[in-house]
Amino acid sequence: MTTAIGVVMTEHIVAGRLNNHQLTGKLLRYPQDTGEVDALASIPGGELVEKLAEQVAALAGSGEEPVDAIGIAVPGVIRHGVVEDSPNLTQIKGMRLADELGKVLAGRGINAPVYIANDADAIAAGVAAKHGQLNKLTRVWTLGNGIGYGRWPYVEGVWEGGHVTVTLDPKERYCGCGGVGHLEGIMGYRAMRLRFLDMEPEEVFAHAKQGDARCREFVDLWHRALAAGTASFIHLAGPGRFYFTGHNVGFLELPLLRAHLESMVKMSPLQSFSLEVLAPDDETALLGAGVSALRALTW
């Protein structure tokens, strides 16, 4: 039996225990109030490490089997256990998270290897595991405060799909990283709030459905931006199935996205793509974080 602990840290922290690639037992969440948004943004990096350790320690002691691996999924550019950048959790930028968490856990008597993954990559791994397709290419867009692009199987690279350039308009400066023309600068929740100071994003999409011309124009831009990002990856890595999930996936209109995507992908060998919406849940990312950590043992 293989045992792992998966932890996801985005707008909140959630942790779970896996036995043989299946989540078992109760999930742990911080903060427990699901209504709190951006609760982690003001917590110093060192305190976040301690909170991660608390979750892992609680789960490590909840079963009889020893833990083989610990997988932590966080947003940003992740390489070899280091968070090289994380625009939506800026306090962990530069942190050697695998090493630092490993030391804290060792002090608690937990010595399982720690593997750090990008949160969108963890969702892709979780989707692949759920469908029994860990040997196939799986790509996921996560739509939330930031825009994530997840890919499984893991290959070396940055894969910050939310920061691909989808417009040359110099006025498009809403991305949290400061870059011009980025996908996240159009689609990200924070970016939309900056663009529409008089409305929340939910109101923008609601007004668009009611016929408001300004809002409808933006909703079309939102979908064209996502189509452009998706088309770019189709032209780089080929067609296949793309999944869409995340807090804001309810904004997505698949027929509109498909129409824009079909106008951008014209080579017949690349047109065999499919699009599928997944309801957002913590379990998929947790499963992927744990599976990624277990697979890393064999790399």
Side-chain angles (χ1 to χ4, degrees):
M1 174 182 289
T2 59
T3 301
I5 291 173
V7 185
V8 179
M9 181 169 67
T10 51
E11 292 89 0
H12 58 275
I13 299 173
V14 63
R17 185 180 176 103
L18 286 74
N19 289 329
N20 289 336
H21 292 186
Q22 298 290 328
L23 283 169
T24 59
K26 183 180 179 180
L27 302 185
L28 303 181
R29 191 186 194 282
Y30 175 87
Q32 294 185 4
D33 182 2
T34 58
E36 287 194 50
V37 180
D38 286 341
L40 306 184
S42 61
I43 300 177
E47 291 184 24
L48 285 179
V49 172
E50 290 292 338
K51 291 188 180 299
L52 291 174
E54 289 174 9
Q55 303 274 25
V56 171
L59 290 169
S62 66
E64 296 180 359
E65 298 293 329
V67 176
D68 299 303
I70 298 163
I72 312 294
V74 299
V77 180
I78 314 299
R79 292 197 202 182
H80 310 296
V82 179
V83 183
E84 295 188 350
D85 206 343
S86 185
N88 295 311
L89 280 177
T90 56
Q91 68 270 50
I92 64 173
K93 178 179 179 177
M95 184 177 289
R96 304 183 69 84
L97 187 54
D99 290 344
E100 293 192 28
L101 180 58
K103 290 177 182 177
V104 175
L105 290 174
R108 297 171 180 249
I110 302 169
N111 295 297
V114 177
Y115 176 76
I116 311 298
N118 171 271
D119 60 326
D121 285 338
I123 293 175
V127 170
K130 279 188 172 182
H131 289 81
Q133 297 179 341
L134 285 170
N135 61 331
K136 293 186 178 181
L137 175 62
T138 300
R139 290 171 288 189
V140 177
W141 286 107
T142 59
L143 315 180
N145 204 34
I147 304 299
Y149 174 80
R151 185 192 189 282
W152 179 266
Y154 173 79
V155 292
E156 186 68 27
V158 178
W159 303 109
E160 277 293 302
H163 298 275
V164 296
T165 301
V166 295
T167 174
L168 301 181
D169 186 345
K171 296 179 181 179
E172 288 293 342
R173 297 177 175 270
Y174 297 107
C175 189
C177 76
V180 176
H182 289 186
L183 177 63
E184 188 172 304
I186 295 173
M187 296 186 65
Y189 195 82
R190 182 182 293 125
M192 288 190 283
R193 296 187 77 184
L194 290 173
R195 185 186 301 265
F196 290 90
L197 297 176
D198 57 336
M199 284 186 285
E200 290 295 314
E202 291 82 1
E203 295 176 295
V204 173
F205 282 82
H207 289 179
K209 290 181 179 179
Q210 296 167 6
D212 183 290
R214 174 190 174 214
C215 295
R216 190 65 233 177
E217 181 181 356
F218 172 74
V219 168
D220 190 66
L221 173 65
W222 193 90
H223 284 82
R224 280 191 288 118
L226 182 56
T230 304
S232 296
F233 285 113
I234 289 175
H235 285 101
L236 290 171
R241 185 177 297 274
F242 286 82
Y243 296 92
F244 303 87
T245 189
H247 181 72
N248 292 333
V249 76
F251 295 154
L252 182 60
E253 300 174 30
L254 273 186
L256 180 57
L257 175 64
R258 179 175 292 279
H260 284 310
L261 195 49
E262 288 175 348
S263 74
M264 299 174 184
V265 180
K266 290 298 187 179
M267 297 180 190
S268 57
L270 303 181
Q271 293 177 336
S272 59
F273 57 81
S274 61
L275 314 174
E276 183 175 337
V277 171
L278 299 175
D281 64 67
D282 290 324
E283 287 82 358
T284 301
L286 282 177
L287 176 61
V291 167
S292 297
L294 289 169
R295 285 297 178 100
L297 296 175
T298 64
W299 293 342

